[in-house]
Every structure is written in C-alpha cells, then in structure tokens.
Amino acid sequence: MTRTRLIAALVMAPLAIAAILLLPTPWFMALAAVVFLGGLWEWFDLADVSDNLARAVLLAANLALMVALVWASRSAAGFSFVLLQLVSVLGVAWWLLALLWLGRYDFASDPDSHARAIKLAAGTMSLVPAWCALAWIHGGADPNSPRWVFVALGIVWAADSGAYFAGRTLGKHKLAPRISPNKTIEGLVGGVLAGLVAGLGLSLFAGASLAQLPWIALAIVFAVLFSVVGDLFESLLKRHAGVKDSGHLIPGHGGILDRLDGVLAALPAFAVAKAVLGF
C-alpha cells in the first residue's frame, strides 16, 4: 500500500504544482472547482444521497454558488476579493463548529432526512470557503501569490506524511480512537513538525523574509491543526456511513475527498492567518 501511495503521489504532485505555478488565477480556479466538486460528489455518498438526479441538482446548486460569488465580486473597478475573504472567514468559523461536532460522535449519525440535510450543509460549508480561500491566496497582488498556494498545500501534504510515518513508528497514545483508531498524538506532533519544516522552507521560495518566519510558523501550526480537524471530520462521516474510503479514484489514496479532507480546513485557516499576520 505504501508503494502504491507513493507512485500515485509522484504522478499527482507534479501536475498539481504545474497548475498552481503556471495557470492564471481564473483558469486555476476553474480547474480547482472541478476537483472540489468531484470531492463534493463523493461527500453526497457520505450524506446518504444515492439518487443521481438529486446529486446532480445539489452539485449544480454548489456550482451556481461558486459562480455567483465570482459574479458578485466583479465591478467596473476590477475584481474584488472582499466577498471571497468573508466566505473564507466563515469557513474558519465553520471548522471550529466542526471541532465541537467531533466531540459528539452520535450527532447526525442516523440516516434520516434531518441528518442528511445537516451533512449536505456541512459539505457546502467545507468546500466553498476552501475554494474561496484558494482564490484569495492565488490571486493576491503579490507576484509570488501562486507560490503561497504551494506553501498552503505543501504544509498539509508534509503534515499528512509526517503524521503517517511518526504514527507508525512512534504512535502509542490514541488521538481520537472512536473516530480514527490509527491516529495518534505522536503522529499529530510529527505532522506539525513536518508541516513546519516544509512550510518554512517553501515560504522562502515564496519570497518571505527571515523576519517574517516566526509569524509564518504560527500560521503553519494554525493551518496544520485545522487540517487535522478536517481529516477527523471526514473520518467521522465515513464512520457514520460505514465505509473506509470516500471513493476509489486514486490508487492507494481512496477518493478525491480523502485527499482534500485536511486541505479543506487548512486553506481558510492559512488564508486568514496570512492576512491577519501580514505576510
């Protein structure tokens, strides 16, 4: 399994890096929308929506919301990111609520219409703010803005790998045994350290100064911790649905949502922290 995961990562990573660094923001966001909506399609399975017509309508509604946000951000003076920034802040607030949800395992666990509606709303609140945060970071005035997207994603990738290997070699104390039995506190620490090392190195590539590194480190820790919440939240939904993976599209990695879970929470957290801390 580790070999399969590595091969899949070696194929996906160069494509993702090329898209981040080479595509103009509108084209990059269109591509990101396709990927995010693919993840949302898998989310519908976790929310117990099996009817394809209903899924198509729900997917179209979320796409319409994305388009409406872009349309409402246009003006005669040019494109304004204010609305996307506001949605990103709402995304951070949502993930704090999701953290409370993690403490109540049985909440919305029954497959009824009430639970389904809550999980569908959670899907929109997870994916749309992350997409807005991605646009906010990538489309900034700084010529190196696309590189900051690379930083934001790189810390999640590094933290995920660091947590995986630290957990396998050192893990003894369970982090959330009922939600994800394989995750450990040692893995969490290893993930934070790996995210810090990768993020600080990548931030220099993005043009950060040495004086900014302490603030960037704070933002990295903030984003990595949020990514853990996103990862655990998807694990909670999979436990409710009785499945191991959200899909089977990516060999060794499961579905699209299995690769996006931590990213969805980390992107708004990193974008807001970056703005507040001023780097």
Side-chain angles (χ1 to χ4, degrees), residues 71-136:
W71 180 82
S73 298
R74 300 173 62 194
S75 69
F79 191 88
S80 171
F81 284 95
V82 172
L83 188 55
L84 302 186
Q85 292 166 350
L86 176 60
V87 175
S88 299
V89 173
L90 290 175
V92 172
W94 151 246
W95 285 110
L96 291 175
L97 288 176
L99 179 60
L100 296 178
W101 188 341
L102 293 177
R104 299 185 62 188
Y105 180 89
D106 293 323
F107 178 72
S109 60
D110 294 328
D112 58 19
S113 58
H114 177 71
R116 187 179 300 118
I118 292 174
K119 288 178 179 177
L120 288 174
T124 297
M125 285 303 301
S126 297
L127 279 96
V128 175
W131 183 78
C132 290
L134 197 62
W136 179 12

Side-chain angles (χ1 to χ4, degrees), residues 159-173:
D160 185 52
S161 297
Y164 177 76
F165 289 107
R168 287 191 63 181
T169 57
L170 303 173
K172 293 182 179 179
H173 301 88

